[in-house]
């Protein structure tokens, strides 16, 4: 690159135009990022903390599974929350959901126990024989088990194998040995 040309350009009125253009573009990009974060927030919706960043935290919308960076949080909250904590967006602010967070942590099982539950479920229900593109719908969501319907059949599934934030009416697919929410 010819640096002399760049130096000459820097000293002209065109430089002001370019600098103003860059400044305006930066402002618009920042607004877009802010607007995107605002659009991601839904009143009375639960969000799970998935990671911390330099500017804030990454949150996952538990309905849509969409992840976004939230940079508008009180410093005290940023310092106290950890991964997998549950927050609710209510009245324009995030509120820590202590009981839901505790329930979520209580629902976690060891990998060994998960594999045992998964293996028993596969053996008892022949789920691997079901077509891979089958859509399952949660009909009832009990304390330990959920009833899923597909085609004209139903199947009883341990809640350990169902995504934690899935509830009645949620559609799932069975993929790679586990049930996943359909977006």
């Amino acid at each position: 690159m010819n640096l002399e040309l760049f130096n000459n350009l820097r000293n002209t009125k065109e430089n002001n135009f370019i600098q103003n253009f860059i400044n305006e573009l930066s402002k618009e990009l920042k607004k877009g990022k802010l607007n995107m974060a605002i659009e991601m927030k839904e009143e009375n919706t639960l969000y799970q903390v998935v990671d911390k960043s330099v500017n804030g935290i990454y949150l996952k919308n538990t309905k849509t599974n969409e992840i976004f960076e939230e940079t508008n949080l009180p410093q005290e909250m940023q310092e106290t929350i950890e991964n997998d904590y549950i927050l609710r967006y209510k009245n324009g602010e995030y509120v820590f959901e202590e009981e839901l967070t505790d329930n979520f942590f209580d629902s976690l099982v060891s990998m060994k126990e998960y594999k045992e539950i998964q293996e028993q479920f596969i053996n008892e229900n022949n789920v691997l024989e079901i077509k891979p593109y089958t859509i399952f719908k949660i009909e009832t969501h009990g304390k330990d088990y959920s009833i899923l319907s597909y085609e004209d059949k139903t199947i009883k599934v341990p809640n350990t194998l169902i995504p934690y934030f899935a509830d009645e009416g949620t559609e799932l697919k069975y993929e790679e040995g586990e049930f996943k929410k359909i977006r």
Side-chain angles (χ1 to χ4, degrees):
M1 176 176 199
N2 186 341
L3 293 178
E4 221 172 300
L5 177 63
F6 179 73
N7 287 333
N8 289 339
L9 182 61
R10 188 174 54 165
N11 295 326
T12 65
K13 289 182 182 180
E14 291 174 358
N15 181 46
N16 289 337
F17 172 77
I18 293 170
Q19 190 60 46
N20 288 340
F21 176 76
I22 291 171
N23 289 340
E24 289 299 314
L25 183 60
S26 292
K27 287 179 192 175
E28 290 302 314
L29 288 173
K30 287 178 184 175
K31 280 187 205 173
K33 185 176 180 181
L34 178 62
N35 288 338
M36 187 175 80
I38 290 170
E39 290 171 13
M40 299 297 285
K41 300 175 195 175
E42 296 178 42
E43 185 67 20
N44 205 31
T45 297
L46 297 175
Y47 295 89
Q48 185 175 19
V49 176
V50 292
D51 203 1
K52 290 188 175 189
S53 72
V54 175
N55 299 322
I57 58 172
Y58 287 98
L59 297 174
K60 178 173 80 170
N61 181 318
T62 61
K63 290 181 186 176
T64 64
N65 289 336
E66 299 219 25
I67 297 173
F68 64 99
E69 183 179 21
E70 178 57 76
T71 58
N72 191 21
L73 284 170
Q75 187 65 31
E76 182 180 322
M77 180 176 273
Q78 287 186 47
E79 292 171 0
T80 58
I81 59 176
E82 299 293 332
N83 284 358
D84 293 325
Y85 277 30
I86 310 301
L87 307 177
R88 182 182 304 275
Y89 188 73
K90 191 171 185 177
N91 299 324
E93 63 183 21
Y94 291 99
V95 179
F96 173 57
E97 289 285 347
E98 186 174 358
E99 185 176 343
L100 286 174
T101 299
D102 289 344
N103 290 343
F104 174 75
F105 285 123
D106 289 345
S107 74
L108 298 176
V109 296
S110 70
M111 187 55 81
K112 180 181 177 188
E113 186 178 355
Y114 179 85
K115 291 291 183 189
E116 289 170 357
I117 293 168
Q118 184 181 45
E119 188 176 309
Q120 182 179 356
F121 170 74
I122 289 169
N123 291 336
E124 291 176 0
N125 294 285
N126 297 323
V127 73
L128 299 179
E129 295 175 15
I130 298 172
K131 298 171 193 156
Y133 52 83
T134 300
I135 305 296
F136 298 86
K137 182 178 179 183
I138 299 177
E139 297 298 330
T140 59
H141 189 65
K143 182 180 178 214
D144 297 318
Y145 290 90
S146 292
I147 304 297
L148 276 56
S149 63
Y150 67 99
E151 298 168 353
D152 60 347
K153 302 171 187 150
T154 60
I155 190 169
K156 185 177 176 182
V157 180
N159 285 340
T160 303
L161 304 179
I162 305 273
Y164 184 76
F165 292 104
D167 51 9
E168 291 178 8
T170 301
E171 291 185 337
L172 308 168
K173 59 185 173 180
Y174 189 77
E175 191 173 80
E176 299 173 6
E178 61 184 70
F179 287 95
K180 298 178 181 179
K181 280 177 147 180
I182 297 174
R183 292 187 188 200

